Amino acid sequence: MDRPSSEGPPEQTQAQAGAPARAGAQAQADPRRWAMLAVLCASLLLVAMDATILNVALPSLIKEMRPDALEQLWIIDIYGLVLGGLLVTAGAVGDRFGRKLLFTAGFTVFGAASVLAATAGITESVLQLIAGRVLLAVGGAMVMPSTLSLIRTLFPDPHERTLAIGIWAAVAGAGAAIGPLIGGLLVNASSWSAAFWVNVPVVLVTVVAAVLLLPEYRSPSHHDLDLTAALLSVAGVVLTAWGVKHLAGGFRPADLAALLAGLAALTWFVRRQLQSADPLLDVRLFTSRPFLAAALATLIAMMGIGAALYLISLWLQYVRGYDALAAGVHTLPAALALLASSLLTPWLLRRTGVRTVLTTGLAALLCGFVLLAATPRPLGYGTIAAALVTFGIGDGMAITAAAAVMVAAVRPERAGQAGAVSESAYELGIGFGVALLGSIHTTLFRSAMPSRFTPAARDSAGSADQAARSLGHGSPEGRALLTAARTAFDDALGTTSLTSAAIVATAATLAAVLVPKDFRADSAH
């Protein structure tokens, strides 16, 4: 039977992983564990940043590449949707063949994909850019479950582990939140392609450090990987995401068929996992009410912040007229608030419990969306900044608490599964948020634009800006078009925020119902 390699800590039993054996767990902890955590966080920062780094680079990209509205959405959200579809399989591969191996291979793929995406500007190929984003998602899917599952192995002590997860969540959330700022800096200094070139040197350094520092860990399972189940999970997630994305923008039979096919594939996947002796994903984990609440909280929190950062980044550029760098700077309140709340959450978890932290975090997100929806138009930056702060606080609390619950719920040899569920909810949340709420916003924008403008000018805020440029921003026609587009964008943002508020309110209610009042994240395995 395979055992964990001698590089890392020995395999731990269920009893050893629990709170009663805290002293023994501390004795087994690798003294280099905090340096190893730094390596994991460096990789996570890049993968998380790539989910949002193009938000402020999009106007520059549109000007150079001229993608249509549908291509624009795919450039932004194909990354999260494909990544989310592969995470379950990637987590299972890491458990069976080695988490360090998967991590280093995935980050290498991530670096190669960055080069492919960056050079799309040279070839002027939108399809190459989208292909690069897909390959980035493949590499990210190999990396992300490994980070959380290796934390489960490196930190057997539950209190240390909760702190490590708080740092992990801070990096993951802050990476998504500072993506627009980094993107703005790079676009101003060079072009949108620099948002991909920046990955390459970080990948090279991190892969070397990972090879030297990280331990290897494999599940003692001898079962082969279920390829049929792997294909079902990928097809199910991608087809379901496709259907949701396109149906949000208008009904077409083909999109409904894709959605139904995706749901059928996921149903088949679940049935196959229930019959498997060594499932890719132990779906019985979801019978645990705290685990289910944690997964839903992660999904909803990232839907909210993913869509909010995307739409607010566009608002800052198209409504307020900021350049990419200024737009990135003006999203900083979310990153700072998220960083602070993620690091504070381990302390809150020990004192108040999971239910209080989860529901409070989701309530903060709810307040942010209500603020955006209820404030009279036109919106000012003060309202946007206040909303960004509440988004950061809520997201940091919800994601950290949810990850701690999911990691504590499984034995060390199944940590890849917990990581896959957490990361799937995280990435699919961003992808679904941009796809669903972004499509709703686009539909509302188009309906609010006066019919006297051309269909191309009414297609999106970016298209309106391009049309105004061709007319001349100082001309009466150009000024009228810009004014109408800014008003339509503002109004659409308010209605979209109401939809987001309803979704978050549902998740907060479910968290309050599903999580026992006295539940503690460090009381499981």
Side-chain angles (χ1 to χ4, degrees):
M1 180 178 291
D2 292 340
R3 305 288 294 180
S5 100
S6 58
E7 294 178 69
E11 178 189 351
Q12 292 160 39
T13 66
Q14 177 174 335
Q16 286 173 322
R22 184 179 176 193
Q26 286 176 323
Q28 295 175 13
D30 193 306
R32 303 173 300 168
R33 60 194 180 278
W34 296 105
M36 297 174 187
L37 178 64
V39 173
L40 297 176
C41 287
S43 66
L44 183 63
L45 182 66
L46 279 192
V47 177
M49 277 175 47
D50 265 56
T52 59
I53 197 169
L54 282 186
N55 286 356
V56 296
L58 192 58
S60 172
L61 188 154
I62 291 171
K63 185 178 179 181
E64 181 176 331
M65 303 285 286
R66 297 190 178 278
D68 60 30
L70 181 60
E71 288 172 334
Q72 291 173 36
L73 271 178
W74 274 120
I75 289 169
I76 292 293
D77 66 16
I78 191 69
Y79 177 81
L81 297 179
V82 173
L83 195 157
L86 293 172
L87 282 167
V88 169
T89 299
V93 169
D95 283 344
R96 286 164 173 77
F97 300 105
R99 296 170 189 164
K100 175 180 177 179
L101 175 63
L102 186 71
F103 176 89
T104 52
F107 215 42
T108 302
V109 170
F110 193 86
S114 299
V115 175
L116 179 65
T119 53
I122 299 173
T123 61
E124 297 185 351
S125 171
V126 174
L127 288 179
Q128 180 180 330
L129 177 57
I130 294 174
R133 292 282 281 172
V134 170
L135 194 57
L136 280 165
V138 174
M142 297 166 71
V143 168
M144 293 193 80
S146 302
T147 62
L148 199 52
S149 58
L150 282 168
I151 286 174
R152 179 67 175 88
T153 305
L154 293 171
F155 294 91
D157 175 71
H159 286 179
E160 276 198 349
R161 184 170 65 240
T162 302
L163 176 58
I165 289 172
I167 296 171
W168 171 91
V171 171
I178 68 171
L181 172 60
I182 302 300
L185 286 168
L186 294 171
V187 168
N188 272 25
S190 180
S191 71
W192 62 265
S193 62
F196 297 106
W197 284 121
V198 71
N199 294 342
V200 177
V202 181
V203 166
L204 292 174
V205 172
T206 304
V207 167
V208 172
V211 170
L212 295 176
L213 282 176
L214 291 181
E216 186 56 283
Y217 189 99
R218 298 179 184 88
S219 167
S221 169
H222 270 303
H223 293 277
D224 293 332
L225 189 70
D226 187 343
L227 294 179
T228 300
L231 290 173
L232 286 172
S233 70
V234 174
V237 171
V238 172
L239 287 173
T240 300
W242 174 281
V244 169
K245 170 185 169 56
H246 286 81
L247 287 173
F251 177 81
R252 290 193 312 173
D255 299 328
L256 178 60
L259 176 60
L260 295 176
L263 294 175
L266 291 176
T267 301
W268 188 3
F269 171 77
V270 169
R271 293 185 63 181
R272 193 176 181 91
Q273 299 311 286
L274 289 172
Q275 297 167 359
S276 174
D278 187 22
L280 294 183
L281 176 63
D282 186 358
V283 294
R284 293 179 181 86
L285 287 171
F286 291 96
T287 62
S288 164
R289 293 169 63 179
F291 189 93
L292 176 61
L296 288 173
T298 302
L299 180 72
I300 298 301
M302 294 317 299
M303 277 186 67
I305 199 167
L309 286 174
Y310 170 64
L311 294 174
I312 287 174
S313 293
L314 296 182
W315 181 90
L316 288 166
Q317 293 176 88
Y318 290 131
V319 177
R320 300 290 286 189
Y322 294 135
D323 62 18
L325 177 58
V329 169
H330 281 80
T331 63
L332 268 181
L336 297 175
L338 194 151
L339 183 65
S341 67
S342 296
L343 296 177
L344 181 63
T345 296
W347 180 85
L348 293 173
L349 283 171
R350 290 195 298 271
R351 283 156 179 78
T352 65
V354 170
R355 186 169 77 174
T356 300
V357 175
L358 269 182
T359 54
T360 302
L362 291 169
L365 285 173
L366 175 62
C367 290
F369 285 118
V370 170
L371 180 64
L372 288 179
T375 301
R377 268 43 188 171
L379 287 175
Y381 177 70
T383 300
I384 295 293
L388 287 171
V389 169
T390 62
F391 291 150
I393 292 172
D395 194 60
M397 294 176 68
I399 296 301
T400 305
V405 170
M406 286 188 274
V407 169
V410 299
R411 296 185 299 275
E413 64 270 19
R414 292 292 190 188
Q417 294 193 6
V421 173
S422 177
E423 299 296 354
S424 294
Y426 182 98
E427 291 298 336
L428 285 175
I430 294 178
F432 276 131
V434 174
L436 177 61
L437 299 172
S439 295
I440 291 173
H441 182 274
T442 298
T443 301
L444 293 169
F445 173 87
R446 290 171 181 167
S447 66
M449 284 292 287
S451 58
R452 68 177 184 274
F453 299 115
T454 65
R458 302 197 308 267
D459 190 48
S460 68
S463 299
D465 185 70
Q466 289 294 318
R469 286 177 185 275
S470 64
L471 293 170
H473 279 176
S475 68
E477 297 86 353
R479 288 198 303 270
L481 176 55
L482 284 178
T483 299
R486 289 168 178 171
T487 300
F489 194 100
D490 240 1
D491 292 343
L493 181 59
T495 306
T496 305
S497 296
L498 278 178
T499 305
S500 302
I503 295 172
V504 173
T506 301
T509 302
L510 288 173
V513 171
L514 292 173
V515 181
K517 183 177 181 180
D518 58 349
F519 183 83
R520 292 289 188 272
D522 58 4
S523 62
H525 290 299

